[in-house]
Amino acid sequence: DAKTTQPPSMDCAEGRAANLPCNHSTISGNEYVYWYRQIHSQGPQYIIHGLKNNETNEMASLIITEDRKSSTLILPHATLRDTAVYYCIVYSNTGKLIFGQGTTLQVKP
Amino acid sequence: GAVVSQHPSWVICKSGTSVKIECRSLDFQATTMFWYRQFPKQSLMLMATSNEGSKATYEQGVEKDKFLINHASLTLSTLTVTSAHPEDSSFYICSARSQLPFYGYTFGSGTRLTVV
């Protein structure tokens, strides 16, 4: 499975957009990018996923670069409840979801 | 849709005893489920893949005789920690692959195991 690299931590002001980057330079053509988040002592929560087109849902937007070597998760108006660890995962047809270290996002008032 | 229920949410047991954790897909069928372990301030580590009607596949370094996995139906997988020791204390999380409302993995809420 392709490796991902994320900054260990980020801060964001409440009400502002949170932009979380992820590098996945070894991604293959048929591998998807998934984003999950984990709030303390809970199971991970699905946010969004994409292959090569940008995606948007009620939670977030996912911007994937044209070469697919990196992506950015955008939370348009961060709230205090968005404080969590965010995981960027490259999923392949091995069927396994392998977690990296993620980015701890702290939303501050 | 795509809800995974995990039970119990927390358990305390004595060293040497066994503990069973259940993972259920409530509104979909899951031929494959996954078990993870997470230590404090660390990421999730995949332990094993649970396949309905067949033996589980364990990741390298995970003791299959200690962590018994049974996936007897399309909606239930169980993880039994046998002869538990304090070092087995951890947060155990299951997940199942669903197709609706999104094609991906839905996670349970986790089980906090404390061995005393």
Side-chain angles (χ1 to χ4, degrees):
Chain A
D1 293 332
K3 301 289 186 189
T4 61
T5 304
Q6 299 177 253
S9 63
M10 293 182 64
D11 289 342
C12 176
E14 188 178 19
R16 305 297 295 269
N19 296 282
L20 291 88
C22 179
N23 286 321
H24 31 79
S25 58
T26 59
I27 193 170
S28 298
N30 61 347
E31 293 179 324
Y32 285 77
V33 178
Y34 276 77
W35 283 83
Y36 284 79
R37 72 180 183 184
Q38 185 180 27
I39 296 170
H40 183 62
S41 294
Q42 297 182 24
Q45 176 191 23
Y46 167 82
I47 302 173
I48 199 167
H49 75 283
L51 182 61
K52 51 185 176 181
N53 297 323
N54 297 338
E55 303 287 344
T56 295
N57 63 20
E58 64 278 5
M59 288 184 67
S61 294
L62 174 61
I63 308 298
I64 302 174
T65 58
E66 193 168 341
D67 62 8
R68 303 210 323 122
K69 293 184 177 182
S70 66
S71 61
T72 301
L73 178 74
I74 302 173
L75 307 178
H77 305 287
T79 70
L80 298 179
R81 288 177 295 180
D82 292 322
T83 292
V85 180
Y86 287 77
Y87 295 99
C88 166
I89 304 166
V90 171
Y91 169 68
S92 71
N93 55 14
T94 64
K96 300 177 183 179
L97 211 60
I98 304 299
F99 285 76
Q101 294 306 307
T103 295
T104 299
L105 175 68
Q106 182 71 48
V107 180
K108 298 185 174 180
Chain B
V3 177
V4 173
S5 174
Q6 195 170 335
H7 179 80
S9 56
W10 62 271
V11 58
I12 301 173
C13 72
K14 293 184 177 181
S15 290
T17 62
S18 297
V19 174
K20 180 184 286 188
I21 302 170
E22 292 187 348
C23 180
R24 294 180 184 274
S25 56
L26 295 186
D27 49 4
F28 66 102
Q29 294 182 334
T31 56
T32 304
M33 292 185 176
F34 304 86
W35 287 95
Y36 294 80
R37 180 167 56 180
Q38 185 176 32
F39 293 108
K41 299 188 184 300
Q42 294 186 22
S43 185
L44 284 77
M45 183 190 77
L46 180 64
M47 298 174 66
T49 302
S50 171
N51 303 298
E52 187 268 335
S54 65
K55 291 183 179 180
T57 304
Y58 291 83
E59 296 298 303
Q60 190 172 6
V62 177
E63 301 175 59
K64 61 181 180 181
D65 294 332
K66 180 168 188 60
F67 300 100
L68 301 180
I69 292 173
N70 183 276
H71 194 155
S73 77
L74 287 172
T75 59
L76 174 64
S77 174
T78 60
L79 168 68
T80 301
V81 182
T82 63
S83 187
H85 291 284
E87 56 265 33
D88 298 324
S89 298
S90 188
F91 192 52
Y92 293 87
I93 310 167
C94 69
S95 73
R97 189 161 50 199
S98 60
Q99 296 192 20
L100 294 171
F102 66 92
Y103 186 82
Y105 295 78
T106 300
F107 286 80
S109 55
T111 298
R112 175 75 57 192
L113 170 63
T114 302
V115 184
V116 297

